[in-house]
Amino acid sequence: FVIVSVIISIVLSFTRYNIMTPPTFYGLKNYERLVTDTKFMKALFNTLKLMVMIVPLQMILSLIVSVFLVSHRHMLIGKIANSVIFIPVLCSNAATGVIWRELLNGKIPAVETFFGLFGIKASMLLGNAKTALAVVAAVAIWKMLGYYVVIYSSGLLGISESFYEAAKVDVAGTVTRFFRITLPMLKPTIILAVFLSITSSLQCFDLIYTMTGGGPNNASTTLVIYAYSLCFAGSSSAGYAIAVSNILFVVILVIAMLQRGMMKREASEI
């Protein structure tokens, strides 16, 4: 099914197609258009920018939180936090986007007052081209934090306590144990989590569509949003939209191959 879909996508990207009429062969013109399309370049830049904003923070925060939760898993605070932090993951991206859009629309005094303490006008966060994408990134990090905490927690629980006990005998401190034992043993888990975070950020659609719609002035338009708008809005250039999507597919495919190679190398070292 996947292979057939990819083949159809590749074929249609070489056609002039608008969904309502049969596709006609268009050669390489869709791909030639990509080179001179400023909106595509902007969308590509925003896609990579969103990935850079999401992945590092998401990985660092989820690792810190998972270390805390695992170390306090037998305490009441650990059990409560372990449940609460996963709640946002259960909500759909569309619902999350709508909720945050309403929270930041300036109609809730408590929210305006809170952000006002930091000199920020909440109602302008999504309406400002300089901050819109960053706000989307922050919401994406918050929403999926619990998902990566679970991944890291499972990796941490898989590390034998004997390593830490031996390190304590050698009078190794907490920081030393973390960098000399925890991180190296978590390497396969980190590779997996980073790959999932990258692919998720590159394909981010629901949050952006419901929070900003790609605006203002295309400031939060990513490749997915741009392909959607090309296909289902305006001129309905489905053939060109598929060409845009294929570029994203190639980027994700390259990342997947790199991740697979790293996992194989890590497995061989073990």
Side-chain angles (χ1 to χ4, degrees):
F1 179 77
V2 175
I3 295 175
V4 173
S5 299
V6 171
I7 293 173
I8 293 174
S9 176
I10 293 173
V11 172
L12 289 177
S13 69
F14 293 102
T15 65
R16 190 171 188 174
Y17 180 44
N18 66 0
I19 298 179
M20 301 301 293
T21 58
T24 57
F25 185 68
Y26 205 44
L28 294 172
K29 292 182 180 179
N30 283 330
Y31 290 99
E32 291 173 355
R33 179 179 169 185
L34 292 174
V35 181
T36 57
D37 187 355
T38 55
K39 287 186 177 180
F40 167 76
M41 292 300 177
K42 177 70 173 177
L44 178 60
F45 174 76
N46 286 341
T47 302
L48 297 177
K49 183 179 178 182
L50 185 66
M51 179 189 71
V52 171
M53 287 192 289
I54 290 177
V55 177
L57 277 175
Q58 201 164 54
M59 294 299 96
I60 294 172
L61 289 176
S62 57
L63 180 57
I64 292 173
V65 173
S66 62
V67 169
F68 172 80
L69 291 180
V70 169
S71 62
H72 294 79
R73 63 185 181 278
H74 299 303
M75 298 175 64
L76 180 61
I77 186 174
K79 294 178 180 178
I80 295 175
N82 208 15
S83 301
V84 171
I85 201 169
F86 198 76
I87 292 177
V89 181
L90 301 176
C91 300
S92 70
N93 287 330
T96 302
V98 171
I99 291 171
W100 276 99
R101 185 188 66 200
E102 293 303 310
L103 286 173
L104 300 174
N105 65 3
K107 297 179 181 179
I108 304 177
V111 176
E112 284 287 302
T113 302
F114 174 77
F115 280 96
L117 296 174
F118 305 96
I120 301 172
K121 193 171 182 180
S123 58
M124 292 302 295
L125 287 174
L126 293 177
N128 190 330
K130 295 181 179 179
T131 59
L133 195 63
V135 173
V136 172
V139 173
I141 292 170
W142 167 80
K143 183 180 185 311
M144 294 303 294
L145 185 67
Y147 177 77
Y148 295 104
V149 166
V150 170
I151 292 176
Y152 279 127
S153 295
S154 63
L156 288 168
L157 291 171
I159 301 175
S160 175
E161 286 293 332
S162 60
F163 292 110
Y164 295 106
E165 292 171 1
K168 288 179 182 178
V169 172
D170 293 334
V171 199
T174 304
V175 176
T176 302
R177 293 199 300 271
F178 178 77
F179 284 101
R180 296 293 180 88
I181 299 175
T182 305
L183 279 184
M185 296 295 290
L186 271 182
K187 191 175 178 181
T189 305
I190 293 173
I191 294 172
L192 173 63
V194 169
F195 169 72
L196 293 174
S197 181
I198 290 175
T199 53
S200 175
S201 61
L202 290 175
Q203 298 177 80
C204 184
F205 173 79
D206 300 21
L207 282 178
I208 300 174
Y209 187 75
T210 53
M211 291 180 70
T212 67
N217 194 27
N218 296 317
S220 59
T221 297
T222 58
L223 288 178
V224 181
I225 293 291
Y226 186 46
Y228 174 85
S229 65
L230 285 169
C231 191
F232 299 105
S235 59
S236 185
S237 304
Y240 183 54
I242 293 172
V244 172
S245 300
N246 285 345
I247 297 299
L248 180 60
F249 170 74
V250 170
V251 173
I252 295 175
L253 180 63
V254 170
I255 294 172
M257 292 174 67
L258 290 173
Q259 185 259 354
R260 185 176 181 181
M262 293 175 69
M263 291 293 285
K264 281 186 176 180
R265 186 166 62 250
E266 182 64 22
S268 64
E269 291 178 359
I270 295 175

